[in-house]
Amino acid sequence: MPSMRQSYTVTVPEDPPSAGFPFLKQEMRRKTTAVSGSVLVSTFVGLLINQAKNSKTAQGLVGLRNLGNTCFMNSILQCLSNTQQLRDYCIQNSHRRDLHNNTRVHTALMEEFAKLIQTLWSSSGSEAVSPSEFKTQIQKYAPRFVGYNQQDAQEFLRFLLDGLHNEVNRVTVRPRASTEDLDHLPDDEKGKRMWNKYLEREDSRVVDLFVGQLKSSLTCSDCGYCSTVFDPFWDLSLPIAKKGYGEVSLMDCMRLFTKEDVLDGDEKPTCYRCKARRKCTKKFTIQKFPKILVLHLKRFSEARIRTSKLSTFVNFPLKDLDLREFASENSIHAVYNLYAVSNHSGTTMGGHYTAYCRNPASGEWYTFNDSRVTPMSSSQVRSSDAYVLFYELSTSSRM
């Protein structure tokens, strides 16, 4: 199990070296005879270089104020702020081109999100930023976030990405849904056709990054006929595998998610060939891997009386998560590296969200706890509080 976490504060120097080191001028005067001018210049330049390095690494290390039980929102916003390709989309104002091309009425959510990301990455001070203007817009898009009740971080992420996508969707007029029969096609071709049909309606930079394709195979136990369905996914909700000794791996959870299930009794589906309800087996595989893979660990389970939470420690890799065994076809583009985690500590009755993020500029890990940002060791990233994992496709795996 991970060791207890040590917390210490990030300090960002804001003054030039002469102000930060008032003794420097006096020392220079006193030691003029002993120290050559070149050494003094080297010392001063060295201080300036260190100052520049500190300023550079400080980018993106700005906290978000808690507006009242909004830690769930702050946690997800920091994870998205450290999603490099989404961050660049906002910082470079590429989103405005998509907004203007669409001539849409509703653009405020994307505008406020981009403005918030820009602020987090341009602030030179360490003072926390208020996300109040952004909250105003997300609750207009999704009224369930009105007020200041604690909410689920994964649900918030889904609503936010959906809202951002809708505003920058490159498709302005969606075509009518067609009922073309594709069952006669080979699975690979059918998957490509279904993906292209999806892009005809939903096509944005957000989709480019976060959406993959899942293949569901249904095999009839009587005649052996296998029917396939291809669906887009924004994240994968993984059941937590249970083992006797209390610790499981992320791969255990992936294998449980993709495990072959038997559909019988009331769950019997209708076989396409038999034209009757038959006992079938169902299995998931991944047809298309997204650039950003979001894995949601299903820690919360609904019960008749109250919701319960699983605090099982899930051991997940920080580098080289190889998911090729879950691919529908032979794929070499399925190796991922972790860059952010949304954590939930506490219980269903009272909990708190934080984020662990790897800074895309420095590669160092930091804890984002509302307004506080503190450096951390990569060895502390794994914990039983991990709830939503953000992985990016390895550069060596990209096409």
Side-chain angles (χ1 to χ4, degrees):
M1 293 292 288
S3 58
M4 292 295 289
R5 187 169 297 106
Q6 294 178 338
S7 176
Y8 47 103
T9 306
V10 179
T11 56
V12 183
E14 298 179 6
D15 299 316
S18 59
F21 298 86
F23 60 85
L24 194 59
K25 290 181 180 178
Q26 296 172 7
E27 286 295 307
M28 286 180 183
R29 291 193 192 102
R30 279 203 295 263
K31 298 187 178 181
T32 307
T33 56
V35 183
S36 68
S38 61
V39 173
L40 288 174
V41 171
S42 298
T43 303
F44 189 74
V45 171
L47 290 170
L48 286 176
I49 291 172
N50 287 334
Q51 172 87 3
K53 285 182 178 177
N54 286 335
S55 297
K56 184 177 180 180
T57 56
Q59 283 192 313
L61 304 181
V62 180
L64 290 167
R65 289 181 194 158
N66 191 320
L67 307 176
N69 288 324
T70 56
C71 56
F72 71 93
M73 179 177 77
N74 291 346
S75 172
I76 292 300
L77 286 173
Q78 294 290 10
C79 291
L80 294 180
S81 173
N82 286 278
T83 302
Q84 187 169 355
Q85 294 179 74
L86 182 63
R87 179 205 67 171
D88 293 347
Y89 179 66
C90 296
I91 289 178
Q92 296 166 7
N93 284 320
S94 302
H95 67 286
R96 289 190 174 169
R97 181 184 62 244
D98 292 335
L99 288 174
H100 293 156
N101 287 348
N102 293 343
T103 60
R104 295 185 182 278
V105 177
H106 302 291
T107 62
L109 179 61
M110 185 71 232
E111 289 281 18
E112 285 301 330
F113 174 78
K115 192 185 300 181
L116 186 60
I117 298 299
Q118 289 169 359
T119 303
L120 290 175
W121 283 90
S122 62
S123 297
S124 57
S126 57
E127 186 175 343
V129 172
S130 172
S132 58
E133 294 299 320
F134 167 80
K135 185 179 185 300
T136 298
Q137 297 307 323
I138 187 64
Q139 63 192 26
K140 283 182 181 177
Y141 178 76
R144 65 164 53 201
F145 299 114
V146 170
Y148 298 95
N149 292 327
Q150 182 67 279
Q151 302 275 359
D152 183 85
Q154 186 249 353
E155 287 184 3
F156 173 77
L157 174 64
R158 282 193 170 186
F159 275 97
L160 174 55
L161 291 181
D162 185 63
L164 297 177
H165 157 68
N166 283 330
E167 292 192 354
V168 294
N169 193 352
R170 299 171 187 126
V171 179
T172 52
V173 180
R174 289 183 171 98
R176 289 184 179 181
S178 64
T179 55
E180 183 183 0
D181 184 9
L182 302 176
D183 285 337
H184 63 284
L185 296 173
D187 282 353
D188 195 40
E189 180 62 26
K190 183 179 178 182
K192 288 177 182 176
R193 293 278 287 273
M194 291 300 294
W195 178 253
N196 289 333
K197 278 180 170 291
Y198 176 72
L199 292 182
E200 286 174 5
R201 302 173 62 83
E202 316 294 343
D203 185 17
S204 70
R205 184 59 179 151
V206 186
V207 168
D208 292 344
L209 296 176
F210 289 92
V211 180
Q213 189 182 42
L214 203 61
K215 176 183 176 181
S216 174
S217 304
L218 201 64
T219 305
C220 176
S221 297
D222 274 38
C223 71
Y225 178 76
C226 179
S227 61
T228 54
V229 177
F230 297 87
D231 291 306
F233 69 88
W234 290 77
D235 60 22
L236 297 178
S237 290
L238 306 181
I240 296 179
K242 292 178 175 64
K243 290 191 174 181
Y245 49 85
E247 179 181 320
V248 300
S249 72
L250 185 60
M251 294 297 276
D252 292 331
C253 299
M254 281 294 300
R255 290 183 184 114
L256 185 59
F257 175 76
T258 56
K259 181 178 68 73
E260 192 171 83
D261 283 332
V262 177
L263 303 180
D264 201 0
D266 293 339
E267 293 184 317
K268 281 182 184 177
T270 300
C271 173
Y272 180 82
R273 182 183 287 168
C274 297
K275 308 296 183 187
R277 294 184 68 197
R278 294 283 190 252
K279 176 183 175 182
C280 293
T281 57
K282 183 179 182 179
K283 183 174 176 60
F284 286 123
T285 52
I286 299 175
Q287 183 73 14
K288 183 181 184 300
F289 288 89
K291 292 176 182 173
I292 302 298
L293 177 65
V294 179
L295 299 177
H296 163 232
L297 301 177
K298 295 174 73 173
R299 293 199 177 277
F300 300 101
S301 59
E302 297 291 338
R304 286 186 179 180
I305 303 174
R306 63 186 179 90
T307 305
S308 59
K309 181 188 175 184
L310 286 172
S311 57
T312 307
F313 178 75
V314 179
N315 196 346
F316 49 88
L318 273 61
K319 292 182 179 180
D320 300 327
L321 172 65
D322 190 343
L323 299 179
R324 284 177 291 185
E325 71 173 87
F326 307 107
S328 304
E329 309 292 336
N330 291 332
S331 174
I332 58 170
H333 309 292
V335 180
Y336 288 85
N337 295 323
L338 186 78
Y339 71 90
V341 182
S342 176
N343 305 290
H344 181 273
S345 58
T347 66
T348 55
M349 304 302 291
H352 181 61
Y353 284 98
T354 59
Y356 299 156
C357 303
R358 178 166 50 82
N359 185 281
S362 68
E364 300 298 322
W365 283 89
Y366 293 86
T367 300
F368 293 82
N369 186 354
D370 287 331
S371 59
R372 294 180 67 243
V373 182
T374 54
M376 66 182 297
S377 166
S378 59
S379 63
Q380 299 170 314
V381 172
R382 300 179 187 88
S383 81
S384 56
D385 292 338
Y387 183 48
V388 184
L389 309 176
F390 291 76
Y391 280 92
E392 60 184 345
L393 197 62
S394 170
T395 51
S396 60
S397 290
R398 291 178 191 165
M399 299 196 57

